[in-house]
Amino acid sequence: MMVDSEVAFTLANGSLYFSHFQKLRADGSSDEGEYDCTARNRFGLVVSRKARIQAATMADFHVHPQSIVVEEGGVARFQCQIRGLPEPVILWKMNHLPIDTDNDRYTLLPKGVLQITGLRAEDAGIFHCVATNIASVKLSREARLTVSGSHSAVYKDPMILVGPENLTLTVHQTAVLECMATGNPRPIVSWSRLDGRPIGVEGIQVLGTGNLMISDLTVQHSGIYVCAANKPGTRVRRTAQGRLVVQAPAEFVQHPQSISRPVGTTAIFTCLAQGEPPPQITWLKNGQILEPTDHIKLKNNNSTLTIYGISQGDEAIYQCIAENSAGSTQASARLTVLWADGLPGPPQKVKATTISATTIQVSWSEPLLNTKEIIGYVLHIRRASDPVEMEYQEAVSKNTFQQLVTDLEPSTSYSFYIKAYTSRGASKASEVMVVSTLGEVPAVPSLFIKVLNSTTVQAMWEPSIKLGQHEGFKLYYRRVHLSHFTGPIQLPSNITSYNITHLDPSVVYEVKLLAYNQHGDGNSTIRFVSMRESVERTGLSPPCDCMKDEQTNKTSATGIIIGIHIGVTCIIFCVLFLMFGYRGRLLMCKNVQEQLSTPQIPRSQRNATGIALNGSARRDREDPDTNGKQLDMNELERLFPALPSPQDRHGKGIVLDCLPPTSHDETQISTLPPDEFSIIEEQSDPVSQNLPAGFHSRPLINVSQEDPALKPAPTNEG
């Protein structure tokens, strides 16, 4: 805080005026430094951006031009450097006269560089530079340029005398990347970006014979630039590169907004800024740096300010300041805390009582003031070790003055407070109560028993992570007919198995396991194991011969595959047999007369007979009632011409040989209805053995004589 004096005082418009600015006073103080101003009213206070004040200075030249000798037609370069504030302006003189800047062969670059190309005899002389700013004017030492001989025709490889330097600038400034090359013939200078992106044309200019100038810089201009000197008509080239870094001062993408919130609610301010490098964000409350507390939290790299459970003391002007190496900016917003007259006071007589390891009961009484408009209460619950933003609430009706809070964690401290709510807002918070839940014994562990041999079992259980807080396990075992256990065998919480040895192989054992902690022993898990049965099972189940089983499995698989192949082959042969080997048919007629006259029909007449019968069959289908039976008899006489003698027909049936048809027409000569036939196959019959020579063993037709309708009838032979 500055106090007005004769040297510095505040003007009526708020400006700060220095009548005699000094960099260093006799008492050691200085007027240099960073200054900001504040403005205050009844709503709060804001602070301006910082302004740096420095005295103008100029040091001595730390780089002077050097004398050089160059042959005619070559290139010459002079440079001088000096530090000052503000940045000095450097001009060049030749023979104590300003250099003619209209000469295209003379190029003046920032940072005090003079380039001369295509040297001639008249370019020889004395050169020096002059640096000027508001603090001083200074001259460099002189340097002589000597031009020797005439232009040489000797070939020289391209060579870069001076390449681009690394530069760090701010947006909207101008960058000059120097590239000076020599060679014979004169090389061609070109520029590119190392990342392959185009340099562009807007704001781009070439100075002299190869210097690149970029005006009105943006962040997109940052990158590595490559200068290449190429021999004309060839691929011979030399390169040099430099990095350009363009910084951007911080600027806001989203400003914080002024808000109004009732007492007890939450206020959130958001402030988003960008820049290169990324800016840092700082928050101020009425001009003072805001530090996080239990109810004030900064998130997302300080871009979000959250105030929980606001009160009258939180009403202020909040400022967001974004700053990086290129500059800073600030924005402000106001928080108004709404406090309505007639709101109820805070709830009274708050008590919290521990009920169990997971339950706490909270009780309270009505506020002392303005209780008529209360519409309910809200209980605010938070684990004491958690931040404020982890708090949660439970709402209850206006006639409820106690609440059972469940599903809490054992042996954990919780904080509670209550607010009364009306339609116009909430009351102030009640007194905060902190109470812990009771401890809890561990849960029941899962126990598994594995018999290792006739005298040893292994007890195994679940990892301790599923059992809550515990200190270890207790293991007991006994013979079932005894009353007392052996143990406890105390095991740490990281142990999940234990071998019980020296057991009697002829008895049954009981094994018990429980977990314990500082609150006591948990419930136990009990398992029974019979050593005798385990031994017997081991004896009855000899060890498996894995190699033998594997061979058996392989043999079985091979047998299955071979069986499948054989089965498929048999099916194929059966189908072929049915298609080509089966030629006869067997028919049994139920209504044939007992005596049949069956004269032999020569083979030469059979086809004609078949044709005639086909025609007769069609006529019989047209008049089945008059000629059906007699036609059937005629058909059979012609179909079966070779019958045995009458003395061979005294058996149970007449056996006839069914000759196969000899043509397509003969397959249609039978006109017997399907319901008068049944098909059977005779394996062996005495009658068939008496058939004449030339008959073959084929399916037979057996016409039964047991039906009364088929009694023998007299026939006229001859």
Side-chain angles (χ1 to χ4, degrees):
M1 184 68 179
M2 289 190 59
V3 179
D4 289 349
S5 64
E6 294 180 357
V7 178
F9 53 89
T10 304
L11 301 179
N13 63 357
S15 301
L16 179 63
Y17 178 76
F18 289 88
S19 59
H20 186 64
F21 185 88
Q22 290 187 351
K23 182 176 181 179
L24 184 64
R25 300 181 185 277
D27 58 0
S29 62
S30 174
D31 292 334
E32 287 187 328
E34 292 183 341
Y35 293 82
D36 57 42
C37 64
T38 61
R40 180 191 300 271
N41 63 11
R42 63 186 183 90
F43 298 113
L45 180 146
V46 293
V47 180
S48 69
R49 289 186 298 173
K50 295 183 181 298
R52 180 182 293 276
I53 301 179
Q54 294 176 287
T57 59
M58 182 182 291
D60 293 330
F61 281 96
H62 59 277
V63 175
H64 291 270
Q66 302 294 322
S67 298
I68 54 175
V69 178
V70 184
E71 67 179 12
E72 186 176 356
V75 296
R77 180 181 183 272
F78 294 104
Q79 182 180 15
C80 60
Q81 291 184 358
I82 189 172
R83 296 187 183 92
L85 191 67
E87 186 75 22
V89 176
I90 297 177
L91 301 176
W92 284 90
K93 290 187 177 183
M94 175 183 176
N95 298 327
H96 303 284
L97 296 175
I99 288 179
D100 182 11
T101 56
D102 293 334
N103 191 335
D104 293 338
R105 296 186 300 107
Y106 285 73
T107 303
L108 277 71
L109 302 179
K111 306 295 182 180
V113 174
L114 171 64
Q115 295 177 350
I116 307 174
T117 58
L119 282 174
R120 302 172 184 173
E122 61 265 25
D123 295 325
I126 303 297
F127 293 83
H128 74 277
C129 60
V130 180
T132 305
N133 70 1
I134 60 175
S136 179
V137 175
K138 293 189 176 184
L139 305 179
S140 71
R141 291 196 293 264
E142 295 180 348
R144 179 179 295 276
L145 171 61
T146 302
V147 180
S148 64
S150 60
H151 182 69
S152 174
V154 178
Y155 169 78
K156 293 181 180 180
D157 286 334
M159 181 178 64
I160 296 178
L161 298 177
V162 181
E165 296 181 346
N166 296 331
L167 298 177
T168 299
L169 301 173
T170 306
V171 291
H172 307 306
Q173 290 184 330
T174 298
V176 176
L177 301 174
E178 183 180 7
C179 186
M180 191 174 187
T182 184
N184 192 13
R186 181 180 175 182
I188 300 173
V189 176
S190 61
W191 286 90
S192 63
R193 287 178 60 114
L194 189 63
D195 58 9
R197 294 171 52 191
I199 294 178
V201 295
E202 186 175 355
I204 305 298
Q205 184 178 353
V206 177
L207 301 179
T209 58
N211 307 290
L212 180 66
M213 183 175 71
I214 307 175
S215 304
D216 193 19
L217 286 173
T218 65
V219 175
Q220 286 71 31
H221 285 123
S222 294
I224 297 176
Y225 289 79
V226 181
C227 163
N230 301 269
K231 177 185 176 181
T234 69
R235 294 186 177 182
V236 178
R237 56 184 288 172
R238 297 292 183 271
T239 61
Q241 63 185 32
R243 182 184 296 273
L244 173 62
V245 177
V246 182
Q247 295 184 341
E251 61 178 351
F252 287 113
V253 177
Q254 180 177 349
H255 292 74
Q257 302 296 319
S258 297
I259 56 175
S260 299
R261 293 290 183 271
V263 172
T265 58
T266 299
I268 300 176
F269 294 101
T270 300
C271 177
L272 297 179
Q274 65 181 7
E276 185 59 42
Q280 300 293 322
I281 295 178
T282 305
W283 287 89
L284 305 180
K285 176 185 176 181
N286 285 337
Q288 302 296 319
I289 294 179
L290 187 64
E291 298 291 345
T293 63
D294 287 341
H295 81 292
I296 297 177
K297 301 296 179 182
L298 295 174
K299 303 177 183 178
N300 303 324
N301 294 325
N302 291 355
S303 62
T304 302
L305 168 63
T306 305
I307 306 173
Y308 297 92
I310 60 177
S311 62
Q312 289 291 338
D314 295 316
E315 186 170 272
I317 295 178
Y318 294 84
Q319 286 181 270
C320 171
I321 298 177
E323 184 176 14
N324 65 5
S325 57
S328 65
T329 185
Q330 65 89 25
S332 59
R334 179 188 171 203
L335 172 61
T336 302
V337 179
L338 302 177
W339 179 260
D341 293 335
L343 290 177
Q348 302 294 309
K349 300 178 181 180
V350 179
K351 294 181 181 180
T353 305
T354 301
I355 303 300
S356 68
T358 59
T359 304
I360 293 177
Q361 179 175 281
V362 183
S363 61
W364 63 93
S365 62
E366 280 188 336
L368 299 177
L369 301 173
N370 306 321
T371 61
K372 293 182 179 180
E373 297 184 9
I374 293 177
I375 59 176
Y377 297 91
V378 174
L379 175 61
H380 296 253
I381 307 162
R382 178 174 61 89
R383 191 162 52 183
S385 60
D386 286 344
V388 176
E389 57 265 27
M390 298 296 292
E391 177 183 278
Y392 66 97
Q393 299 87 32
E394 291 185 6
V396 297
S397 66
K398 64 179 181 179
N399 298 321
T400 301
F401 298 100
Q402 68 178 16
Q403 178 73 357
L404 215 60
V405 184
T406 59
D407 296 329
L408 303 178
E409 296 183 5
S411 302
T412 306
S413 297
Y414 289 86
S415 68
F416 305 89
Y417 66 90
I418 301 98
K419 289 182 180 180
Y421 276 79
T422 69
S423 58
R424 295 183 295 149
S427 70
K428 291 183 178 180
S430 69
E431 179 185 0
V432 178
M433 302 298 297
V434 179
V435 67
S436 298
T437 54
L438 296 176
E440 187 178 40
V441 297
V444 178
S446 298
L447 177 61
F448 309 93
I449 302 297
K450 179 181 179 182
V451 178
L452 300 181
N453 54 51
S454 61
T455 62
T456 305
V457 297
Q458 184 180 52
M460 299 175 291
W461 52 91
E462 291 292 336
S464 59
I465 190 173
K466 299 182 179 180
L467 300 173
Q469 296 180 355
H470 64 279
E471 296 179 357
F473 298 94
K474 293 180 181 180
L475 181 66
Y476 303 82
Y477 67 95
R478 68 174 180 180
R479 301 185 183 188
V480 292
H481 61 276
L482 298 180
S483 59
H484 66 279
F485 283 90
T486 300
I489 302 171
Q490 294 191 353
L491 302 168
S493 59
N494 61 332
I495 299 298
T496 58
S497 66
Y498 183 81
N499 291 347
I500 305 174
T501 60
H502 302 95
L503 301 178
D504 188 342
S506 62
V507 299
V508 177
Y509 281 87
E510 178 183 353
V511 182
K512 179 172 68 173
L513 178 73
L514 59 86
Y516 70 93
N517 61 14
Q518 68 273 20
H519 302 293
D521 294 346
N523 293 329
S524 62
T525 302
I526 297 176
R527 294 288 183 267
F528 294 91
V529 57
S530 174
M531 305 300 294
R532 178 184 301 172
E533 293 180 0
S534 301
V535 173
E536 292 175 353
R537 283 195 299 268
T538 304
L540 293 174
S541 302
C544 75
D545 188 348
C546 298
M547 294 298 296
K548 182 177 180 180
D549 291 345
E550 183 178 355
Q551 293 175 1
T552 302
N553 292 337
K554 291 182 178 178
T555 304
S556 300
T558 304
I560 292 173
I561 295 174
I562 294 175
I564 293 174
H565 284 231
I566 293 174
V568 173
T569 304
C570 291
I571 292 173
I572 294 174
F573 276 107
C574 290
V575 172
L576 294 175
F577 176 76
L578 292 175
M579 291 176 61
F580 301 106
Y582 190 75
R583 298 176 179 272
R585 295 183 179 179
L586 182 63
L587 300 176
M588 183 177 67
C589 180
K590 295 182 180 179
N591 298 316
V592 179
Q593 294 183 5
E594 190 172 296
Q595 295 182 357
L596 295 174
S597 176
T598 54
Q600 292 288 344
I601 301 177
R603 293 183 67 90
S604 59
Q605 299 178 9
R606 287 178 185 172
N607 289 340
T609 305
I611 296 173
L613 287 176
N614 281 338
S616 300
R618 285 192 292 270
R619 286 192 299 272
D620 288 344
R621 283 193 293 270
E622 294 173 2
D623 192 8
D625 295 335
T626 58
N627 300 324
K629 294 295 182 180
Q630 183 62 37
L631 184 58
D632 290 343
M633 299 301 296
N634 295 334
E635 288 179 0
L636 288 174
E637 292 175 0
R638 288 167 176 78
L639 280 173
F640 310 106
L643 292 176
S645 58
Q647 59 269 20
D648 294 333
R649 292 182 298 200
H650 297 294
K652 293 184 64 176
I654 299 174
V655 181
L656 306 174
D657 184 25
C658 180
L659 293 175
T662 59
S663 69
H664 176 71
D665 293 333
E666 290 179 343
T667 62
Q668 302 181 9
I669 61 175
S670 176
T671 59
L672 296 177
D675 58 346
E676 296 187 9
F677 288 90
S678 63
I679 301 174
I680 66 172
E681 185 174 351
E682 292 290 343
Q683 300 295 333
S684 177
D685 194 292
V687 178
S688 64
Q689 298 176 1
N690 299 323
L691 292 175
F695 278 68
H696 303 286
S697 176
R698 294 187 180 93
L700 305 178
I701 298 178
N702 184 6
V703 183
S704 177
Q705 294 181 347
E706 295 178 357
D707 194 329
L710 298 178
K711 293 294 182 179
T715 58
N716 295 324
E717 295 184 3

